[in-house]
Amino acid sequence: MAVSTVGALLSAAGSGRHDTRWPLYAGLVVFAAFMTAVPWLQARHLHRLAERQGDICGTVDDTGVRLTTAHSSASADWHLYSRYVETPELFVLLSADKSAVGFVVLPKRAVAEPEEVDRLRAVLDQRLVRANHAEAPGRPRSRGRAVGRGAGSVALLLLGLLLFFFAFAAVQQATHPDRFPGVQNNTAPIAAVMLGLGTLAVVGAWWVVRRMTAMRIVTAVLAVLVLLAGGAALYRVGPMLHCWGSDHIARGPDGAYACYDF
C-alpha cells in the first residue's frame, strides 16, 4: 500500500525529477505522522469512553466476573479467560488466544482490605493459570522462546537490509547514464516492490520482539539504521516511479527520467 501511494504521488506530480521529489517527502511525513498519532488517538478515545461510564464496580466469584457501572453491566464466565497476569497494581485476565484480544483489568486498589487481594488471587489461581509464572524469565521454555524471537528478529532485519541493497542495485544502470549510456530497462517497479518487502521485514522484526523490553530497544535501534539504508534506496528509486508502466527508461542531462514504450 505504501509503495502504491508513493507511486500515485509521483505520477500525479509529473515526470521531472525535481517535480516529483517534494510529494514523495510530503507523503512520507504525513504517513509517519499518522502512524505515530494512531495509538495516542485510540488511547484518548478509550479514556473518554471510560469517563462517560463513571465508576466501575467489579465482582469476582466462582461463576465469573461481573462489571457494573451507572449505565451498563456485563458478565463473563471463566471459560472466556484461561490465564492472568499479576503486576504490583493490577490483575489482568487474558483470553486464550496468543494476542490476548479479550482482557479484563482488576485494579488492586479497588478492594476494601489488603486481605481481599489474597482472596482474589486465590480465586484466580483456582480458575486460571498465572501467565507470568508459567513463562517467567529464566525458565527453559521462556529462554528458548526469547532466543528464537531474537534470532528471528535479526534474520528479518538482515533480510530487510538485503532487499534494500537489491532495490538500490536494481536501478544502477539507469541512475548512471555516463557509465551506462542509452535507454535502459525499467527496473524501478521491481526495486519498489523490494523496498516494500524490505519495509515489511523490518516491521516484522520489531513485531516479533515487541514484548521483550531489552530486545525491543535493540531491534528499534537496528531497524532505524536499516531503514536509513532503505531511505537511500528510495531516494534513488523515487524519481523513476512515474514510469511504472513503461518498459524502458532513460535519464536526461537535467536529471529527469523519460519513459519509453517500444
Side-chain angles (χ1 to χ4, degrees), residues 34-56:
F34 174 76
M35 295 303 295
T36 303
V38 164
W40 179 80
L41 292 174
Q42 290 177 336
R44 184 178 181 183
H45 178 73
L46 290 175
H47 279 293
R48 287 183 175 179
L49 179 61
E51 289 176 356
R52 288 195 296 268
Q53 291 287 339
D55 294 336
I56 300 176

Side-chain angles (χ1 to χ4, degrees), residues 31-235:
F31 179 76
F34 174 76
M35 295 303 295
T36 303
V38 164
W40 179 80
L41 292 174
Q42 290 177 336
R44 184 178 181 183
H45 178 73
L46 290 175
H47 279 293
R48 287 183 175 179
L49 179 61
E51 289 176 356
R52 288 195 296 268
Q53 291 287 339
D55 294 336
I56 300 176
C57 178
T59 304
V60 179
D61 54 26
D62 291 338
T63 61
V65 180
R66 292 187 299 276
L67 302 177
T68 305
T69 70
H71 308 285
S72 64
S73 63
S75 61
D77 296 337
W78 287 117
H79 74 275
L80 296 177
Y81 305 98
S82 63
R83 53 206 170 105
Y84 79 95
V85 176
E86 181 179 358
T87 72
E89 298 180 354
L90 303 171
F91 290 105
V92 183
L93 281 58
L94 304 173
S95 55
D97 55 286
K98 293 183 179 180
S99 301
V101 175
F103 65 93
V104 173
V105 178
L106 303 175
K108 295 180 179 179
R109 66 177 182 273
V111 300
E113 300 292 338
E115 293 78 9
E116 296 295 324
V117 175
D118 296 331
R119 292 183 58 188
L120 177 57
R121 185 184 297 109
V123 173
L124 296 179
D125 285 336
Q126 182 180 2
R127 296 291 180 175
L128 308 176
V129 175
R130 289 177 60 115
N132 53 343
H133 176 74
E135 299 182 4
R139 290 176 174 266
R141 184 179 180 184
S142 178
R143 287 199 301 268
R145 287 186 176 182
V147 172
R149 290 180 179 179
S153 177
V154 171
L156 286 172
L157 287 174
L158 292 176
L159 176 61
L161 184 61
L162 186 63
L163 288 169
F164 290 153
F165 171 79
F166 284 152
F168 190 88
V171 294
Q172 179 74 12
Q173 294 186 5
T175 309
H176 297 283
D178 52 335
R179 285 183 283 174
F180 305 96
V183 178
Q184 306 292 336
N185 291 326
N186 184 16
T187 55
I190 298 176
V193 172
M194 290 182 181
L195 285 173
L197 294 176
T199 302
L200 290 177
V202 174
V203 173
W206 182 87
W207 180 263
V208 169
V209 297
R210 68 192 186 280
R211 296 181 180 176
M212 302 167 60
T213 303
M215 193 64 190
R216 181 176 59 195
I217 297 174
V218 173
T219 301
V221 173
L222 295 177
V224 169
L225 298 177
V226 174
L227 288 175
L228 287 176
L234 181 61
Y235 179 81

